[in-house]
Amino acid sequence: MHFTIDTNTFINGVQQANKAVSSRTTIPILTGIKIRATATGITLIGSDSDISIETFIPSSDEEHEYITIHEEGEMVLQAKYFAEIVRKMPGDALTLKKEGQMAASIASDNVVFNLNGYDPDNYPRLPQLQEEQVFQLPQYLLKDIISQTVFAVSSQETRPVLTGVNFTITDKELTATATDSHRLAMRTISVEAEEALDIKNVIIPGKSLVELNRILDDREDMVTIVVTSTQVLFKIDHLLFFSRLLDGKFPLTSHMIPTEGKTTVTLSTKALNRSLERAMLLSREVKNNVVHVKSVGTDQLEISSISAEVGKVKETIEATDLNGEELEIAFNGKNISDALKVIDSETISVLFTGAMSPFVIRPMNEKQMIHLFSPVRTS
Amino acid sequence: MHFTIDTNTFINGVQQANKAVSSRTTIPILTGIKIRATATGITLIGSDSDISIETFIPSSDEEHEYITIHEEGEMVLQAKYFAEIVRKMPGDALTLKKEGQMAASIASDNVVFNLNGYDPDNYPRLPQLQEEQVFQLPQYLLKDIISQTVFAVSSQETRPVLTGVNFTITDKELTATATDSHRLAMRTISVEAEEALDIKNVIIPGKSLVELNRILDDREDMVTIVVTSTQVLFKIDHLLFFSRLLDGKFPLTSHMIPTEGKTTVTLSTKALNRSLERAMLLSREVKNNVVHVKSVGTDQLEISSISAEVGKVKETIEATDLNGEELEIAFNGKNISDALKVIDSETISVLFTGAMSPFVIRPMNEKQMIHLFSPVRTS
């Protein structure tokens, strides 16, 4: 293997593949990045066995020539050093060449690195997916769906399926759901797909989605998504992002969402969030972020929290369209605050079903997003 | 105690006093900030017993009224909560009032916090310094002197005096020196002071100086510095910054600096630093940042490092005015790199006195800054 490449183009490619590499892997060769040089360009692969990223740098496009391939071949180089070396190279171009069995020389201007590597034949193959279940989404929308749900996944491994976001598609409508059993975030959206496409119980690990979101842009370009029973593949320009799926059955959640309640109210998203942040100053350490809310008259909510050691806070915020029974409830303020942060709408509508029953927050005039929360018992 | 104050003005004051407060203190009352309201304004005090910061907010200046004092008095409130509460207050003004024995209410718009406190009588008194040894420096210059020396203090407690920067003044010339016994950084400067002022062995803890540098601006305003045998005080506008001094005798360093050598060379500061950073990619983990340098002909230095596991790097940089014996030396690259970062000059002159003897780096045409380094023995 021997090629010369535009340094900045190579830096970008190596950084993308490197996003899949984990320093905590127990499989030594996965600390490496696989580099493949063919006549048409350079392929870079990184993997932590849960996710894999393959990115392709074409030798040229209509405007520029990026790569000169002197000799085709494959290598695996230690990601940690390789990525930093490439980034610190002084010249506009660099030359990478296989030396001996598995080592490489990387040269640019007056600098030459020699870097030891691994046998590329031992690098695991990427999965070959049957492209039967396929649909498309614009990048910015996929990015939205992920950030509006993934924060609600469980961080505990006691019920592994809850550490992922569940994706379903029926009648060209996609639903993404995440829950840690104390809160639930759900987003629906129309997708471009075959009429008959029916996808159920596709649970993508939250960690994979967080990593994917670092790669996605706010662009309108379409992402093609391929689903099989064990893997999902996102195709973004020249990049392939693979993730394993979580085994097991995601709980049925649609019936959990109340449609009628005892108290309804409309609130300013920002005012509520600022108020919760103040309340949590006192409750976050000792009291698990417990925040108390009660209705005051017909147009105010009182928000309070208390810590025996530190002190207490009490404030009122304006409530519009406060209807139904008087309200007195306590909840984990951080869960609500997390949800408010992904709501773009200036106002939210809240539906309470009783002091000890779940309540619903939706962006105003928006049917495609639902956040559900369990109250906490205080005595 | 009871006053109303402009919120932003108060936030700034509290943040400044809070810089002296450490969450790791073993003296409970020092987790608090002392607040004193008098007819002329509000004084805020924070301390970790090594450093203390007292800042004064005057009730008004020529243009604005910042504070209305309803009742004078003193309180101590828990810094961690108090600073965050003040920062998250919604209104342009806030009212702080003593409630009961030691608690306070802090109110702004529709928000009321009640915060528990400590007995202000138990808060340690700040030292009263004899103003006999006094001199002045512009803020920006004090900031320079600190950042150009403090990085070289020892991080090890085996010789406590080396964890501080030593300040001396003779003939209106101030010298600041720091050394961890492998490297030394020295900066001299003229100061405004009494002719007869003679200060020796004033060792200010590195940690105090790092904290002070976060408060200093790049302004020309003068800082007044008061020195006693156990304390130093920096007066900056309305702020007093106290630090204890380190006990013990700082090693004599002036005789350690070689004036003549075997090899001299002029190098680009930036080119050398980039080259060292590349070399350290391979040597920083296993080899203690060991970098090798040797002269090549009359106008180049070869810089290299090697790691048996990872690989090696070799490069050449341009050397001007390379005179004297052939050079081959090894050193801790990080020590050199730290020094290069505080050198503004585009070129440096280096004076080598042999493979196993200390060498000197100075900014080109600059007599007021010296960096000295011990080589490392390699076999």
Side-chain angles (χ1 to χ4, degrees):
Chain A
M1 191 179 76
H2 184 191
F3 61 85
T4 301
I5 187 167
D6 175 71
T7 306
N8 283 331
T9 306
F10 200 48
I11 290 171
N12 287 338
V14 172
Q15 275 178 343
Q16 285 190 316
N18 200 19
K19 286 189 175 122
V21 180
S22 162
S23 56
R24 279 167 300 177
T25 180
T26 51
I27 308 164
I29 198 166
L30 291 187
T31 62
I33 286 179
K34 184 168 185 174
I35 307 150
R36 186 191 301 133
T38 58
T40 53
I42 307 290
T43 303
L44 297 157
I45 301 171
S47 176
D48 71 354
S49 79
D50 280 348
I51 65 172
S52 302
I53 295 174
E54 175 179 317
T55 182
F56 179 71
I57 310 171
S59 292
S60 59
D61 60 20
E62 283 145 26
E63 288 168 37
H64 298 285
E65 189 110 359
Y66 299 104
I67 309 175
T68 311
I69 307 282
H70 309 298
E71 194 186 343
E72 301 189 2
E74 290 190 337
M75 300 201 71
V76 176
L77 295 173
Q78 294 183 56
K80 192 173 84 176
Y81 298 101
F82 181 52
E84 282 205 73
I85 286 170
V86 166
R87 214 172 52 222
K88 287 195 190 291
M89 277 309 205
D92 293 337
L94 66 84
T95 297
L96 198 153
K97 189 180 175 193
K98 188 168 181 177
E99 308 274 358
Q101 280 300 321
M102 300 182 312
S105 69
I106 310 163
S108 179
D109 286 358
N110 297 323
V111 180
V112 184
F113 276 90
N114 285 274
L115 193 59
N116 301 329
Y118 297 98
D119 184 348
D121 291 341
N122 292 339
Y123 197 87
R125 305 260 157 251
L126 292 188
Q128 299 295 317
L129 305 192
Q130 288 284 329
E131 305 218 350
E132 283 170 7
Q133 294 187 305
V134 179
F135 61 97
Q136 292 199 308
L137 277 178
Q139 275 202 45
Y140 77 92
L141 201 52
L142 178 57
K143 198 173 168 72
D144 274 1
I145 295 169
I146 293 172
S147 53
Q148 288 162 359
T149 52
V150 75
F151 68 88
V153 302
S154 171
S155 54
Q156 258 133 41
E157 290 292 338
T158 43
R159 285 183 70 191
V161 290
L162 297 189
T163 63
V165 178
N166 185 35
F167 287 81
T168 61
I169 297 180
T170 316
D171 297 335
K172 293 180 146 196
E173 191 175 72
L174 178 148
T175 305
T177 313
T179 179
D180 64 3
S181 79
H182 303 291
R183 59 171 160 183
L184 176 147
M186 186 188 286
R187 175 77 200 269
T188 55
I189 202 80
S190 303
V191 289
E192 286 186 28
E194 303 271 322
E195 195 78 49
L197 187 69
D198 191 59
I199 288 178
K200 282 202 178 66
N201 207 65
V202 171
I203 315 169
I204 306 177
K207 280 183 198 163
S208 302
L209 292 172
V210 167
E211 214 48 70
L212 175 62
N213 244 17
R214 295 205 179 111
I215 292 169
L216 293 172
D217 276 330
D218 276 330
R219 293 191 295 168
E220 307 221 345
D221 308 35
M222 292 309 243
V223 178
T224 300
I225 301 159
V226 181
V227 178
T228 70
S229 58
T230 58
Q231 290 275 337
V232 59
L233 162 62
F234 299 87
K235 298 184 184 181
I236 309 150
D237 302 329
H238 287 298
L239 188 141
L240 305 181
F241 184 102
F242 296 83
S243 170
R244 74 177 175 98
L245 297 178
L246 291 171
D247 250 350
K249 201 143 178 55
F250 201 82
L252 257 183
T253 52
S254 50
H255 68 286
M256 287 163 50
I257 295 151
T259 47
E260 281 182 29
K262 295 183 174 164
T263 316
T264 57
V265 65
T266 300
L267 298 170
S268 152
T269 315
K270 211 182 266 180
L272 177 60
N273 200 29
R274 288 195 181 145
S275 174
L276 293 176
E277 282 179 357
R278 281 187 287 266
M280 286 189 286
L281 286 181
L282 302 186
S283 64
R284 75 184 160 200
E285 273 159 51
V286 274
K287 302 278 281 183
N288 226 345
N289 301 311
V290 172
V291 174
H292 299 261
V293 169
K294 68 177 184 185
S295 52
V296 181
T298 57
D299 57 0
Q300 286 196 324
L301 292 190
E302 181 189 282
I303 292 168
S304 64
S305 78
I306 187 159
S307 149
E309 263 187 51
V310 185
K312 61 186 177 180
V313 55
K314 190 183 283 189
E315 63 182 275
T316 53
I317 63 170
E318 214 175 291
T320 337
D321 299 330
L322 177 54
N323 294 313
E325 296 180 9
E326 273 186 29
L327 176 70
E328 185 155 4
I329 197 166
F331 49 74
N332 179 326
K334 173 137 199 322
N335 285 353
I336 312 291
S337 178
D338 285 350
L340 295 180
K341 280 176 195 147
V342 302
I343 292 178
D344 284 334
S345 167
E346 280 183 26
T347 52
I348 52 165
S349 69
V350 194
L351 175 76
F352 294 97
T353 61
M356 290 319 301
S357 312
F359 59 98
V360 177
I361 294 182
R362 290 173 190 266
M364 204 62 193
N365 303 322
E366 163 72 87
K367 298 277 163 236
Q368 299 203 311
M369 196 199 289
I370 289 173
H371 297 281
L372 184 70
F373 306 92
S374 303
V376 295
R377 198 179 292 271
T378 60
S379 50
Chain B
M1 191 178 77
H2 184 188
F3 61 85
T4 301
I5 186 165
D6 175 72
T7 306
N8 283 331
T9 306
F10 200 48
I11 290 172
N12 287 339
V14 172
Q15 275 178 343
Q16 284 188 317
N18 199 18
K19 286 190 175 120
V21 180
S22 162
S23 56
R24 280 165 301 176
T25 180
T26 51
I27 307 163
I29 199 167
L30 291 187
T31 61
I33 286 178
K34 185 168 185 174
I35 307 150
R36 185 190 302 133
T38 59
T40 53
I42 306 292
T43 303
L44 297 157
I45 301 171
S47 177
D48 71 353
S49 80
D50 280 347
I51 66 173
S52 302
I53 294 173
E54 175 178 316
T55 181
F56 179 72
I57 309 170
S59 293
S60 59
D61 60 21
E62 283 146 25
E63 288 169 35
H64 297 284
E65 188 109 0
Y66 300 104
I67 310 174
T68 312
I69 307 282
H70 310 297
E71 195 185 343
E72 301 188 1
E74 288 189 338
M75 301 200 70
V76 176
L77 296 174
Q78 294 182 56
K80 191 172 83 175
Y81 297 102
F82 181 53
E84 282 204 74
I85 286 169
V86 166
R87 213 172 51 220
K88 287 193 190 293
M89 277 309 206
D92 293 337
L94 66 84
T95 297
L96 196 151
K97 190 180 177 194
K98 188 169 181 175
E99 307 275 358
Q101 280 300 321
M102 300 182 311
S105 68
I106 310 162
S108 179
D109 287 355
N110 296 322
V111 180
V112 184
F113 275 88
N114 285 273
L115 192 59
N116 300 329
Y118 298 99
D119 184 348
D121 291 341
N122 294 338
Y123 197 88
R125 305 261 158 251
L126 291 189
Q128 300 295 317
L129 305 193
Q130 290 285 328
E131 305 217 350
E132 285 171 4
Q133 295 187 302
V134 179
F135 62 97
Q136 292 200 307
L137 277 178
Q139 275 201 45
Y140 77 92
L141 202 51
L142 178 58
K143 199 173 168 71
D144 274 1
I145 294 168
I146 292 171
S147 51
Q148 289 162 358
T149 52
V150 74
F151 68 89
V153 303
S154 173
S155 55
Q156 257 133 40
E157 291 293 338
T158 43
R159 286 183 69 190
V161 289
L162 298 189
T163 64
V165 178
N166 185 36
F167 287 82
T168 62
I169 296 180
T170 315
D171 298 333
K172 294 180 147 197
E173 189 174 74
L174 178 147
T175 304
T177 314
T179 178
D180 64 3
S181 78
H182 303 290
R183 57 170 162 187
L184 177 147
M186 184 188 285
R187 174 76 201 268
T188 55
I189 201 80
S190 303
V191 290
E192 287 186 27
E194 303 273 322
E195 197 78 50
L197 187 68
D198 190 57
I199 288 178
K200 283 202 178 66
N201 207 61
V202 171
I203 314 169
I204 307 177
K207 279 183 199 163
S208 302
L209 292 172
V210 168
E211 213 51 69
L212 175 62
N213 245 17
R214 295 205 179 108
I215 291 167
L216 293 172
D217 276 331
D218 276 329
R219 292 191 296 168
E220 307 221 346
D221 307 35
M222 291 309 244
V223 179
T224 300
I225 301 160
V226 182
V227 178
T228 71
S229 58
T230 59
Q231 289 275 338
V232 59
L233 162 61
F234 299 87
K235 298 183 181 182
I236 310 152
D237 302 329
H238 288 297
L239 187 141
L240 305 180
F241 184 103
F242 296 83
S243 171
R244 74 176 175 97
L245 298 178
L246 290 172
D247 249 352
K249 203 146 177 54
F250 199 81
L252 257 183
T253 52
S254 51
H255 67 287
M256 288 165 48
I257 294 153
T259 48
E260 282 181 31
K262 295 184 175 163
T263 316
T264 57
V265 64
T266 300
L267 298 170
S268 153
T269 314
K270 210 183 267 180
L272 177 60
N273 201 27
R274 288 195 181 145
S275 174
L276 292 175
E277 282 179 358
R278 281 188 286 266
M280 285 190 286
L281 287 181
L282 301 186
S283 64
R284 76 186 159 201
E285 274 159 51
V286 274
K287 302 278 281 185
N288 228 345
N289 300 313
V290 172
V291 175
H292 300 261
V293 170
K294 66 177 187 186
S295 52
V296 180
T298 57
D299 58 0
Q300 286 195 322
L301 292 189
E302 180 190 282
I303 292 168
S304 64
S305 79
I306 187 159
S307 150
E309 260 187 52
V310 185
K312 60 185 179 180
V313 55
K314 189 183 284 189
E315 63 182 275
T316 53
I317 63 171
E318 215 177 291
T320 335
D321 299 329
L322 177 53
N323 294 314
E325 297 179 9
E326 273 186 31
L327 175 71
E328 185 156 3
I329 198 166
F331 50 73
N332 179 326
K334 175 140 198 319
N335 285 353
I336 312 292
S337 179
D338 285 350
L340 295 181
K341 280 178 194 144
V342 302
I343 293 179
D344 283 335
S345 167
E346 281 183 25
T347 51
I348 51 167
S349 68
V350 194
L351 176 75
F352 293 96
T353 62
M356 291 318 302
S357 312
F359 59 97
V360 178
I361 293 182
R362 291 174 189 265
M364 205 61 195
N365 304 321
E366 163 72 89
K367 298 275 163 239
Q368 299 202 312
M369 195 199 291
I370 289 174
H371 297 280
L372 184 69
F373 306 92
S374 302
V376 295
R377 197 178 291 271
T378 61
S379 50

